[in-house]
Amino acid sequence: MIKIGILGGAGYTAGELIRLLINHPEAELTFINSESNAGNPVSDVHEGLLGECNLTFTSEAPVSDVDVVFLCFGHGKSGQFLSEHAIPPHVRIIDLAQDFRLKGSHDFVYGLPELNRDAIRQARHVANPGCFATAIQLALLPLAHRGVLTNDVSVNAITGSTGAGQRPQATTHFSWRMDNLSIYKPFQHQHVPEICQSLNLMQQAADRQLPLIGEPGGPAIDFIPYRGDFARGIFATAVVRLPEDMKEGSPTDWPALYQQFYADEPFTHYSMRPIDLKQVTNTNKCLVHVDVFGNKVLVTSCIDNLLKGAVGQAVENMNLMFGLDETTGLRLKANAF
């Protein structure tokens, strides 16, 4: 059994992570840390776990007693925690914040299995991707693989209220969110750098001399995020204008590229028909669909932001790191209607 500790255990992502791990056949939850809730039953905060989880929150972090720790802190706190606490070399780390997603003076591997599966298998430390970043990268990776992201890419994506975290805010209040829609952080969302990093890695893999995405003189990811009137899920569209020197192919060429690229993926699937959000909520799936309009490719993708966009993918990474089947504990059921 894999002994597991969770740090920062009171938020939405931690609650969903606990739900997955208590049903995972190879997982043993050893401790769940939350200083503000220390001594309280976990089910007092994550009420859906009543009758399923009898652990209590602890203010301690006995990381030496586990095989892996999941860091479910807010952004910026993971780096601070690791700078103040010595983690034994045998303990693996999966960070769900953005602290280590960009390459730097650390050994964290970026945890998008569709991009870095082999590296994740060998990693001791993994930086889990952002939720928007996951949906957008999976929409664009096949085109980056083909080397056609040479023009600005227009992306719109709408997310549920759980994407803003559990702490109440003006824009997550039910009476504000209901029957409402708004944008935030247009062209400045924090997930854009990690998206560009991955697309450049894929697009430059074949030693192509192409301008770097997101760099001066290169194409941009023009991303506009939306707040949606629903609790969970991300629905994204990306419009890619093909290079001028590329002959227009038949409408089936680009779908075939996606079908081939994701043919062996356990959780990312190409759909021949238009997709909708209910197909993926409460699952670890990403669905992708392509339409072609002249020299423009429209890619639609959708995920559950708490699962494939967060803790489902984190468990997927844990499975890879410990040599398990990638799908272990993650064959979840979608909504029936």
Side-chain angles (χ1 to χ4, degrees), residues 102-303:
L102 300 181
K103 290 184 177 179
S105 56
H106 58 76
D107 65 348
F108 279 75
V109 172
Y110 188 68
L112 188 69
E114 292 82 356
L115 179 70
N116 286 331
R117 182 170 283 107
D118 289 341
I120 294 167
R121 285 192 175 105
Q122 304 302 317
R124 303 206 65 79
H125 301 150
V126 166
N128 218 57
C131 52
F132 273 130
T134 296
I136 295 167
Q137 287 174 98
L138 294 176
L140 295 175
L141 280 177
L143 296 178
H145 180 70
R146 183 71 179 271
V148 300
L149 299 181
T150 57
N151 295 306
D152 292 352
V153 179
S154 297
V155 178
N156 293 288
I158 183 169
T159 185
S161 58
T162 52
Q166 193 166 6
R167 186 183 300 275
Q169 303 175 52
T171 57
T172 59
H173 195 284
F174 176 78
S175 60
W176 185 91
R177 198 103 179 189
M178 184 180 180
D179 300 326
N180 202 3
L181 192 67
S182 65
I183 67 170
Y184 67 107
K185 298 183 181 178
F187 305 106
Q188 299 177 357
H189 196 275
Q190 65 270 17
H191 289 181
V192 171
E194 65 182 281
I195 295 168
C196 294
Q197 176 178 261
S198 296
L199 296 178
N200 283 322
L201 178 65
M202 180 64 73
Q203 189 146 277
Q204 303 296 323
D207 197 27
R208 303 183 183 96
Q209 299 302 310
L210 296 173
L212 292 175
I213 301 165
E215 297 294 330
I221 303 296
D222 291 333
F223 173 36
I224 300 179
Y226 290 75
R227 302 179 182 96
D229 177 20
F230 51 91
R232 59 194 298 161
I234 289 176
F235 191 89
T237 60
V239 178
V240 177
R241 183 163 52 87
L242 299 173
E244 296 294 335
D245 59 354
M246 178 169 286
K247 293 181 179 179
E248 183 180 337
S250 71
T252 59
D253 289 343
W254 300 106
L257 171 70
Y258 276 76
Q259 284 181 298
Q260 182 177 5
F261 192 88
Y262 290 126
D264 298 324
E265 291 296 335
F267 293 114
T268 301
H269 308 289
Y270 181 77
S271 172
M272 293 298 292
R273 296 191 290 181
I275 57 179
D276 63 75
L277 196 58
K278 273 196 172 182
Q279 292 175 273
V280 298
T281 51
N282 300 311
T283 81
N284 197 52
K285 293 189 296 187
C286 174
L287 296 185
V288 185
H289 175 75
V290 173
D291 293 294
V292 181
F293 301 91
N295 71 331
K296 294 186 178 72
V297 177
L298 169 63
V299 188
T300 310
S301 72
C302 56
I303 63 171

Side-chain angles (χ1 to χ4, degrees), residues 7 61 63 71 73 76-87:
L7 297 168
V63 293
L71 305 184
F73 298 126
K77 292 186 178 180
S78 296
Q80 179 182 347
F81 179 87
L82 294 179
S83 70
E84 296 173 351
H85 297 80
I87 306 297

Side-chain angles (χ1 to χ4, degrees), residues 49-105:
L49 297 176
L50 181 64
E52 297 186 58
C53 179
N54 60 5
L55 293 175
T56 58
F57 289 111
T58 175
S59 61
E60 305 299 320
V63 293
S64 297
D65 298 339
V66 299
D67 301 307
V68 59
V69 290
F70 289 85
L71 305 184
C72 296
F73 298 126
H75 300 310
K77 292 186 178 180
S78 296
Q80 179 182 347
F81 179 87
L82 294 179
S83 70
E84 296 173 351
H85 297 80
I87 306 297
H90 75 275
V91 178
R92 303 184 192 189
I93 300 171
I94 300 174
D95 181 29
L96 279 88
Q98 65 184 33
D99 299 30
F100 301 104
R101 292 172 185 164
L102 300 181
K103 290 184 177 179
S105 56

